[in-house]
Amino acid sequence: MTVFGILTGYKNGHLPSLAGADWERNSFAMTPHLIIRGGRKLSGDIRIGGMKNAALPILFALLLVQDEVTLEELPPVTDIETTLQILCNAGAEMERLSPTAIRIHTKNADPDAVPLRLTTELRGSSYLLGAELGRFGRAVTGIPGGCNFGIRPLDQHFRLLRALGAAIEEENGLLCASAPKGLHGAQIRLDFPSVGATVNGILAATRATGTTVISNAAREPHIVDLANFLNACGAEISGAGTSTIRICGIPRLHGTRYRIAPDMIEAGTYLCAVCGTGGKLRLENVCPEHLGAILSPLRKMGAEINVSDQDLTLERTGTLYGTVLETAPYPGFPTDMQPQFAPLLCISRGGGRIYERVWKNRFQYADELCRMGGNIRLAGDFADFSGGDRLTGTTVRATDLRGGAAMLIAGLCAKGTTALYDIRHIERGYPDFAAKLTAIGADVCTAAEKSGAR
Ligand code: EPZ
C-alpha cells in the first residue's frame, strides 16, 4: 500500500505531524520532496527564463537545420535536458556555453539512433515526427508521454502529416512515419487549434515541396517563437500568431543565433504566488503582450499591476476576491494557468468557478488541495470553489507539472508546514523554482537541505 493510499480519505489537512520529524524517519520521506513553511508575504524580484513550450519545438526543429545554431534562454528544466539527450543520442553535436545557452549542429544526425525509451518521457517528442519526416523522409518515436490529462489523441497531427504525403502507423507502442516520395505542400483545416499538431505541421512543411496552408492553427506565443526561429534560419513562414499559417517550403535552412522568448506560464505562476500570499513582485524578462489573459483575472482578484518596457510589477495588499475563469486556446485564458489560480480561489472572498475547456481531465490537483482544507466541488468540465477556506499545511503531492505548481502556491499561502512530494513534475517546467521563491522571502527547501542546514 502506498503512503498516499494510507492518507486517502483524510480531508481538510488534519495531518500536520506527517510533515514533521516522525514523517521524515519513514523511508518514503527520502524521496525528493519540498518543505514549505507557509503564511509569509513575498516581496522581491524574479527573472523569468525562456519558454519551455517554445524551446521544445525549437530543439526538435534543429533536425531541419544542418548548420550550427546558437540558442540562448533555454530553460534548464528536465524536459529540455531529456530533449537534448534525445538529440545528442541521435548524433547532434552540442557545446554548452552556459546553463541556458548551447551551440549545436545536427549535421550527422541519424534517425535510427533516436533513443526510443526517452521519447516516451515527454509530450514534445511527438515533434520528432514532423522534424524527421522533413529532414529524412521517415520517423520513428515512442508514444509521447508528458502530463496525464486522460487520453491525449494525436489524430490532428496525423491528419496534417498525411495531407503532406506521409504514411503513419502505430505498432508495438511506436509511431512510424514515412514519406518515400518526399513531403508536398497541402491546405488543411484543423478541427481544433491544437498546439502540437500546428507545430508538427510547420516542422514537416518547412522543407516540403510547395506551399502549405494550415487554417484554424494554434496562435500561442510558442508557435510564433518557432516560426521566428525557423525564419531566422531562412524558412518562409507567415501568419504565425493568426489562425492561418502559410509555409512556402524551401530545400535548405542555414544556421543562426536565437534567443527564446520569455515563459508566460512561469511568469503567471509567480504572479499567482504573490497574489495569493500578498506582497510585491517585480518580474524581469517578460513579454507583457503574452500575459493579457492572465493579468486580467489577477486584477479582478485585487492585484495592482504595472507594466513597463523593462518589467512588470504586481502588488496585493488588500482583499483577495474570487472570480470565474474559463480556459481557451490563446489568446484566451491558458489551461496551463488554471491550476495555479485554484488555491487563490480557495482562500478568496467569494470563491468562484473554473471551466476547463481544453483538457478533459485537468482537475487532479483538486483532491490534494482538499487535503489542505480547500472546499472544491467538481462537476464535469468545471470546478466550484466556495472561497474563504483556511489552507493548512500537510503532506501532498504534485499530480502533474501545473498541478504541482498549484500545490506549491497552496503551501506558500497555507498556515503551517507542507511536505510536497513528486516534485519531479515541477522540475520538468520550472527552472530553479525553490531558489527563485527563496529570493523573494519564501521558506522553501528540499528535504536534503532541511536535514542538513536546519
Ligand atoms: C500543448 O500540449 C502544451 N504542451 C500543453 O502544456 C498545453 O496544455 C496545451 O498545448 C494546450 O495549450 C507543450 O507545448 C509541450 P494540444 P499539446 O494539441 O500540444 C485535443 C504544460 O503544462 N487534441 O493543443 O499536447 C487534446 O486532447 C503542458 O506545459 C486532439 O483532440 O496540446 C486537447 O483536448 C501540459 N487531437 C486539445 O486538443 C490531437 O491530435 C489541446 O491539445 C491533438 C490535440
Side-chain angles (χ1 to χ4, degrees):
M1 192 192 287
T2 66
V3 173
F4 289 117
I6 295 168
L7 294 183
T8 302
Y10 289 83
K11 295 281 178 189
N12 299 326
H14 294 314
L15 289 165
S17 66
L18 289 179
D22 289 350
W23 174 241
E24 283 185 356
R25 280 201 291 274
N26 184 315
S27 61
F28 184 75
M30 297 319 289
T31 63
H33 64 281
L34 208 64
I35 299 290
I36 308 157
R37 289 193 187 81
R40 295 176 163 221
K41 279 195 171 163
L42 302 179
S43 273
D45 296 2
I46 288 181
R47 186 178 189 283
I48 297 303
M51 188 162 26
K52 171 190 78 96
N53 288 345
L56 286 169
I58 289 173
L59 285 177
F60 285 107
L62 291 169
L63 288 167
L64 296 168
V65 191
Q66 275 124 292
D67 296 344
E68 194 170 87
V69 169
T70 300
L71 287 178
E72 296 169 353
E73 297 289 358
L74 259 189
V77 293
T78 48
D79 270 9
I80 297 300
E81 285 306 313
T82 306
T83 305
L84 290 174
Q85 238 178 303
I86 292 172
L87 291 174
C88 290
N89 272 266
E93 285 171 40
M94 180 182 87
E95 184 190 345
R96 278 186 203 269
L97 305 176
S98 78
T100 57
I102 58 168
R103 189 178 297 137
I104 186 164
H105 74 77
T106 65
K107 220 174 293 173
N108 304 318
D110 172 3
D112 296 325
V114 168
L116 295 175
R117 191 192 54 77
L118 276 186
T119 63
T120 62
E121 288 186 10
L122 71 165
R123 184 68 179 174
S125 63
S126 63
Y127 303 153
L128 270 172
L129 291 176
E132 289 196 334
L133 277 168
R135 165 90 176 264
F136 305 107
R138 64 193 173 92
V140 180
T141 180
I143 305 283
C147 293
N148 179 7
F149 308 139
I151 296 169
R152 292 181 70 172
L154 291 169
D155 57 302
Q156 299 300 303
H157 301 235
F158 297 165
R159 268 189 65 218
L160 229 158
L161 297 173
R162 285 181 179 131
L164 290 164
I168 305 172
E169 281 177 26
E170 206 176 314
E171 266 175 39
N172 304 325
L174 296 177
L175 299 174
C176 308
S178 65
K181 293 185 188 153
L183 296 171
H184 52 74
Q187 303 225 351
I188 183 153
R189 182 180 171 77
L190 295 176
D191 295 339
F192 180 90
S194 154
V195 171
T198 305
V199 166
N200 254 328
I202 292 174
L203 294 174
T206 292
R207 287 179 53 175
T209 312
T211 298
T212 298
V213 179
I214 306 172
S215 49
N216 201 23
R219 299 168 57 188
E220 270 71 1
H222 9 306
I223 301 291
V224 178
D225 217 29
L226 170 66
N228 287 345
F229 165 70
L230 286 167
N231 285 341
C233 298
E236 292 180 18
I237 302 168
S238 56
T242 75
S243 298
T244 306
I245 301 178
R246 189 183 176 85
I247 306 131
C248 298
I250 54 157
R252 196 176 193 290
L253 297 175
H254 55 73
T256 191
R257 183 182 196 95
Y258 192 78
R259 175 180 288 249
I260 292 161
D263 194 321
M264 63 186 214
I265 305 298
E266 190 196 10
T269 300
Y270 290 120
L271 291 173
C272 275
V274 176
C275 188
T277 62
K280 185 169 182 178
L281 176 66
R282 179 174 159 271
L283 293 181
E284 286 168 40
N285 194 37
V286 285
C287 263
E289 64 270 28
H290 296 165
L291 290 166
I294 299 170
L295 299 186
S296 155
L298 286 170
R299 284 189 169 113
K300 278 191 199 148
M301 294 176 87
E304 196 176 301
I305 297 171
N306 289 303
V307 179
S308 80
D309 286 348
Q310 284 82 39
D311 60 12
L312 185 155
T313 56
L314 172 145
E315 184 167 19
R316 187 185 65 81
T317 47
T319 305
L320 180 67
Y321 297 99
T323 192
V324 174
L325 300 164
E326 181 169 2
T327 69
Y330 191 84
F333 176 74
T335 172
D336 292 350
M337 277 306 302
Q338 66 93 340
Q340 298 89 314
F341 274 80
L344 275 57
L345 291 177
C346 285
I347 61 173
S348 68
R349 180 190 287 175
R353 177 175 281 189
I354 298 177
Y355 291 95
E356 174 54 62
R357 305 291 199 203
V358 177
W359 295 107
K360 287 222 161 40
N361 185 14
R362 204 172 189 176
F363 289 117
Q364 295 102 318
Y365 63 82
D367 261 0
E368 302 301 309
L369 216 37
C370 288
R371 285 173 185 279
M372 297 181 68
N375 199 340
I376 306 170
R377 190 177 66 87
L378 296 182
D381 66 353
F382 66 86
D384 275 331
F385 298 78
S386 39
D389 302 329
R390 193 175 159 79
L391 297 181
T392 312
T394 185
T395 298
V396 287
R397 71 187 179 100
T399 51
D400 58 80
L401 169 56
R402 310 302 171 188
M407 298 318 296
L408 187 51
I409 294 171
L412 294 169
C413 296
K415 183 172 179 299
T417 302
T418 298
L420 175 55
Y421 282 80
D422 280 350
I423 53 171
R424 67 195 155 89
H425 289 296
I426 307 177
E427 288 163 350
R428 287 185 33 225
Y430 290 96
D432 305 326
F433 62 92
K436 288 186 181 187
L437 286 169
T438 304
I440 59 169
D443 189 344
V444 173
C445 64
T446 63
E449 282 166 348
K450 185 166 183 282
S451 55
R454 286 160 193 256

